[in-house]
Amino acid sequence: MVIVTTIRRDVLTLPAAELGPDNPLPPLRPLDELHRIEDRDGLPREMARQIGYEPLRSLLPVHVRDGYERVREPRAIDTLVIENDRLRATVLPGLGGRIASLLHKPTGRELLYRNPVFQPADFALNGAWFSGGIEWNIGATGHTTLACAPLHAARVTAPDGGEMLRLWEWERLRDLPFQVDLWLPEDSDFLYVGVRVRNPHERPVPTYWWSNIAVPEERRVLAPAEEAWQFGYDRMLRRMPVPSYEEVRQHPYPADYFYEVPAPRRRWIAALDDDGTGLVQTSTDVLRGRKLFIWGAGRGGRRWQEWLTEPGTGGYCEIQAGLARTQLEHVRLEGEGEVAWLEAYGPLSSPPAADEVEARLEAVLPRADVEAAYARWKPCADTEPGEILATGSGWGALEVLRADWKLPGTPFDAATLGEEQEPWLRLLRVGALPEPRRVRPPGETLVAPHWRDMLETAPATPHTEYHLGIAQWHAGDRAQAVRSWERALALAPSVWPLLRCLAVADREIDNHERAADRYAEAFDDLCRERRDAGERWTAATAALGREAIETLLAVRRTGEARAVWERLHPATRARGRFRLIEAGLLLAEGRRDEARAVYDEGFEVADLREGAETVGRLWERISDEPLPARYDFRMR
């Protein structure tokens, strides 16, 4: 048999914003995640238990990605293209392995919402995220920290002897390796996606997965359910009849609808246009959940659509598939266990009723065929990759070296270890964390119990005490973390990172005056220490300055806040986030008209958080007029 499926490298050129540097300050504050509920009473027992099962409380060890802006220029993005004679899937290995496009070649139809721009926005757990295509969300409630990160990619032999594209990486929030295998059988109208998440640890680990598919907004979404759980941004979960197409289109605010799919029913979700044609996604039963997300017809939702795409290019909604009924849940993955399933994506034409869609799906892709494809794929999940097509991070290689784990099919080669892993490799091999060779912002911190144990037994140098304190803070041992940071202060050549950590600790216990003292001292020390206006120092100055101004204004020390502002780099002060900070500073100084002028001149807060209301709340303090549309991002 002649195999016609091919995988090739290509380049996609888009108007794109640069990602910029990560925030170098460790994220010590509690996680700011909208998708949680305040009251679990009345929910099904399993759902309530899984909502309460180890929700993520910290981003550590991952850093926040907030260095992007909104200046877009044509940029080349590396892609991997897998295609047969029916479908062409374009994958972005450097951006979370997202499928940017799924083209049905016989009809020339794009089955997904294909974003015409690359514009990061603050929707991922750690900041930078972008809309469109199919993304693979692993880790915890929300968009994955890998949304804008590179994955490993390679050719692998497919179950039919052809080529399969494998993507894999180490998810750092839960310390889990995962893989995504893209397989296009000959003459198939469906892209098969085999997914496996492994737990190499001896202990159980909370696990989360949602495949998120962007489709054009005007599509009619159908799933095999009569009821759904609606989640709005009032943090309530309500059981209700599945809304009609008209009700969905008229809903004023963003909302999630998690379909209550009965256990015996086949798992699928479809998005069809007025002619009854569009995309269907189905899977083996392990991927049990299905969801619709809409932006709503209100002004805030429309503004978000423009913000994430390009005005005038059409909006999108999201259909999703996950391991649990809702995205507020995490499922238990036993020690040394794994969870795996197969998804299928392809075109469908059907009358717009769920029963008819399911019958049509069964005709073009029987449920038994998906189960059989899973059975053929599963033994191939351990097949060692062939040609390496893209390289991810070195964190998986470090963990494999530490524990001597064997993970067939997903090699984390020692050659991927880099500068970020080097200090930790030294700690692993010789039991000591090396002191930095030159003064610069601190690097990555590892916080898992095994790394914390190594830090506790390593020589107590200032650098080690700094990282140990972060690991202790992450573990909930706040008092010991403070002691570690205070011990380091006496001998540390660079004290601003330690003072900043202690200032955060003060804020957490509502000692805001001492926090302000420490932030002011930390910023003074950073300004004395910074060596240049390079990317790392500029990012550190911006991040620390932002926190310092916020804390100083909270205790009405406007003069000191102004002094911090004046020492920020001019390019930093011109950024939209800092224009908003400037408006707040001017208002605190009693210069209301000048604060209003900042709004009138216009600014864009590139890293405006999903659901954030800071822009509108500050406007209410400045003006009695309605909030201008350009600043209206209200989601409730």
Side-chain angles (χ1 to χ4, degrees), residues 126-167:
N126 64 330
W129 173 87
F130 64 106
S131 63
I134 305 172
E135 64 173 309
W136 318 112
N137 285 310
I138 182 174
T141 297
H143 293 282
T144 178
T145 62
L146 295 166
C148 291
L151 302 191
H152 302 282
R155 299 180 196 269
V156 183
T157 302
D160 58 7
E163 288 192 319
M164 183 163 66
L165 176 60
R166 174 162 299 161
L167 307 165

Side-chain angles (χ1 to χ4, degrees), residues 99-133:
I99 299 178
S101 168
L102 186 61
L103 183 74
H104 187 231
K105 294 163 73 172
T107 60
R109 291 178 62 91
E110 174 60 60
L111 301 180
L112 308 173
Y113 173 77
R114 182 172 182 170
N115 199 332
V117 302
F118 171 71
Q119 177 56 64
D122 192 2
F123 277 70
L125 287 165
N126 64 330
W129 173 87
F130 64 106
S131 63

Side-chain angles (χ1 to χ4, degrees), residues 179-195:
Q179 70 189 78
V180 177
D181 287 354
L182 306 180
W183 168 32
L184 264 177
E186 183 181 4
D187 297 327
S188 174
D189 273 320
F190 284 85
L191 172 67
Y192 290 146
V193 180
V195 182

Side-chain angles (χ1 to χ4, degrees), residues 507-582:
R507 288 181 64 175
E508 290 300 295
I509 60 172
D510 294 328
N511 193 338
H512 298 292
E513 284 289 350
R514 190 168 68 183
D517 290 342
R518 282 175 161 161
Y519 266 120
E521 186 180 352
F523 194 77
D524 287 346
D525 184 66
L526 183 150
C527 289
R528 286 192 297 266
E529 186 177 284
R530 63 187 179 191
R531 297 296 187 261
D532 52 46
E535 188 175 82
R536 288 186 72 167
W537 281 111
T538 299
T541 305
L544 185 61
R546 175 175 167 180
E547 292 183 13
I549 292 171
E550 175 186 295
T551 306
L552 289 163
L553 288 180
V555 293
R556 296 182 172 85
R557 289 159 62 169
T558 55
E560 291 172 87
R562 171 61 65 180
V564 171
W565 169 265
E566 295 295 343
R567 285 176 289 169
L568 296 173
H569 293 97
T572 298
R573 294 199 298 264
R575 293 174 59 184
R577 165 62 65 182
F578 288 85
R579 293 286 284 156
L580 176 64
I581 291 171
E582 181 184 19

Side-chain angles (χ1 to χ4, degrees), residues 258-275:
F258 299 102
Y259 294 99
E260 185 68 39
V261 181
R265 295 291 295 271
R266 183 177 184 179
R267 308 289 163 169
W268 60 268
I269 190 166
L272 307 178
D273 63 18
D274 291 340
D275 296 329

Side-chain angles (χ1 to χ4, degrees), residues 219-503:
R219 298 280 171 91
R220 184 186 300 268
V221 175
L222 302 109
E226 296 182 356
E227 292 185 307
W229 295 91
Q230 185 200 52
F231 175 81
Y233 288 80
D234 55 2
R235 293 175 177 162
M236 298 292 291
L237 197 57
R238 305 175 182 85
R239 193 166 185 158
M240 60 179 292
V242 168
S244 68
Y245 176 63
E246 289 72 23
E247 289 172 325
V248 168
R249 291 297 300 273
Q250 294 170 12
H251 195 277
Y253 295 109
D256 298 326
Y257 297 95
F258 299 102
Y259 294 99
E260 185 68 39
V261 181
R265 295 291 295 271
R266 183 177 184 179
R267 308 289 163 169
W268 60 268
I269 190 166
L272 307 178
D273 63 18
D274 291 340
D275 296 329
T277 59
L279 172 79
V280 65
Q281 186 270 2
T282 187
S283 71
T284 49
D285 290 351
V286 166
L287 203 65
R288 63 178 295 189
R290 293 298 184 275
K291 171 195 164 181
L292 164 66
F293 167 76
I294 59 168
W295 279 110
R299 196 168 75 166
R302 308 326 300 165
R303 185 70 181 104
W304 275 117
Q305 290 270 26
E306 295 176 351
W307 190 254
L308 295 169
T309 60
E310 185 79 355
T313 58
Y316 73 95
C317 62
E318 294 170 355
I319 57 175
Q320 303 190 25
L323 284 174
R325 279 189 285 191
T326 74
Q327 287 177 327
L328 289 76
E329 302 169 66
H330 299 91
V331 301
R332 179 185 175 101
L333 183 56
E334 297 297 338
E336 300 180 347
E338 67 175 47
V339 60
W341 63 91
L342 188 88
E343 306 178 46
Y345 296 81
L348 190 75
S349 295
S350 170
D355 289 344
E356 293 175 289
V357 170
E358 187 159 334
R360 179 60 183 156
L361 174 60
E362 186 65 22
V364 298
L365 184 64
R367 186 178 191 177
D369 286 4
V370 175
E371 297 288 347
Y374 171 76
R376 294 197 304 275
W377 164 75
K378 190 59 170 61
C380 298
D382 282 346
T383 301
E384 290 303 318
E387 180 190 1
I388 301 297
L389 299 171
T391 303
S393 78
W395 296 113
L398 183 66
E399 293 298 334
V400 167
L401 275 174
R402 180 194 63 80
D404 194 29
W405 279 319
K406 309 301 180 189
L407 299 169
T410 54
F412 292 95
D413 196 283
T416 62
L417 293 165
E419 181 182 356
E420 292 177 329
Q421 293 81 37
E422 182 57 36
W424 302 95
L425 186 62
R426 179 81 177 274
L427 176 65
L428 178 64
R429 287 176 170 166
V430 304
L433 197 66
E435 288 294 301
R437 296 175 184 173
R438 62 185 185 276
V439 174
R440 62 179 181 176
E444 300 266 0
T445 299
L446 296 181
V447 296
H450 42 267
W451 293 106
R452 187 172 73 248
D453 291 344
M454 282 185 253
L455 288 168
E456 286 175 344
T457 57
T461 65
H463 193 55
T464 300
E465 294 280 23
Y466 166 78
H467 287 289
L468 174 58
I470 295 170
Q472 291 165 333
W473 182 271
H474 177 263
D477 193 350
R478 302 294 174 84
Q480 190 59 56
V482 168
R483 284 193 287 272
S484 295
W485 293 325
E486 287 176 339
R487 281 196 304 269
L489 271 178
L491 297 175
S494 176
V495 298
W496 68 264
L498 294 159
L499 288 168
R500 182 263 176 178
C501 290
L502 290 166

